[in-house]
Amino acid sequence: MTTLLLTLLLTLAQALVPGARPLPPPLVVARWWDPPPTPYAAGHRGVDLAAPVGAPIRAVGPGRVYYAGPVAGRGVLSLTLPGGLRTTYEPVRPLVAEGEEVTTGQVVAVLTEGTHCGGPCLHWGLLSGTTYLNPLTLLPRPAPRLLPDPAPPAFGASAPHAPQGHGHGGFGDHTGILGGAQLDAPHGRVDDPL
C-alpha cells in the first residue's frame, strides 16, 4: 500500500511541478538516493550532485520559500512546491527570503563549501510531509532519439550489440553522469539529451 501511495504521489508531483534542473547540465551524481529501511535507520535521504563552489542553484519548480538560513552551521534552503512537496538544498547561500515566491528555473541560491561530500557538491532532497522521496523524479524525462550510425552494417549482416553494462535507467548511465549519455544501439545511437 505504501508503494502504491508513493507511486501515485510521485506521478502527481511530475504532473504538478514542471521540472527544471537545480544545476546546469550535465548533472553528475556523486552519491545516489538510498532510502533507509525505516524512518530512523541510516540511509541517504537525497542525492549529492557534484558542482563547483559558487555554482548557481535553481528552483526545480514554482513555489514558496519555506526556510532560508543556517542549520547546524551550514546554509540550507527549502522550497514548498505545488501539491505540498518540499525540496531542500544544502550547503548554500540563499538568495531568497522566507515566504518569497519563486519560479521554475529561478536562481535561488549559490553553492558554498561543505563537508558532506569528498568534494564540492549540492545535497538535494525531496519530502512529502516527513517522508523522503527521490528528488531525481522531479527532473524532466528526456525523450531518447535514435541517431544514424556512421557505418551501418551491410545488408544481411548481423548488427553489433551494445556492450554489457551500458543499460540506461532513464536518468543516466552507470557512470553517474546525467546528461548527454550516448548509448550504442543495433542500428544507431540513442542520445539522451538530459
Side-chain angles (χ1 to χ4, degrees):
M1 183 66 169
T2 303
T3 303
L4 177 61
L5 181 60
L6 287 175
T7 302
L8 289 171
L9 186 61
L10 288 173
T11 303
L12 275 173
Q14 288 177 333
L16 293 173
V17 181
R21 295 176 184 92
L23 291 164
L27 296 180
V28 180
V29 175
R31 186 170 175 199
W32 296 92
W33 183 65
D34 183 19
T38 63
Y40 302 105
H44 195 237
R45 294 164 172 86
V47 295
D48 295 339
L49 303 174
V53 170
I57 308 301
R58 298 184 180 279
V60 296
R64 185 173 300 278
V65 178
Y66 180 79
Y67 179 80
V71 172
R74 64 186 175 276
V76 174
L77 177 64
S78 182
L79 305 176
T80 300
L81 305 175
L85 295 176
R86 230 175 359 158
T87 58
T88 59
Y89 310 84
E90 61 180 277
V92 298
R93 180 174 46 84
L95 302 175
V96 291
E98 265 182 53
E100 190 175 328
E101 286 193 35
V102 298
T103 59
T104 303
Q106 177 182 339
V107 175
V108 292
V110 175
L111 187 64
T112 60
E113 289 190 34
T115 59
H116 183 74
C117 301
C121 77
L122 171 69
H123 178 79
W124 179 35
L126 174 64
L127 293 105
S128 173
T130 59
T131 303
Y132 285 87
L133 305 172
N134 185 350
L136 294 175
T137 59
L138 293 178
L139 293 176
R141 290 271 186 173
R145 301 178 305 224
L146 186 60
L147 302 174
D149 189 343
F155 182 75
S158 65
H161 295 285
Q164 293 297 321
H166 280 71
H168 193 271
F171 289 117
D173 62 14
H174 68 283
T175 64
I177 297 177
L178 303 178
Q182 296 177 350
L183 307 172
D184 294 326
H187 297 291
R189 193 180 74 214
V190 176
D191 190 26
D192 180 352
L194 184 64

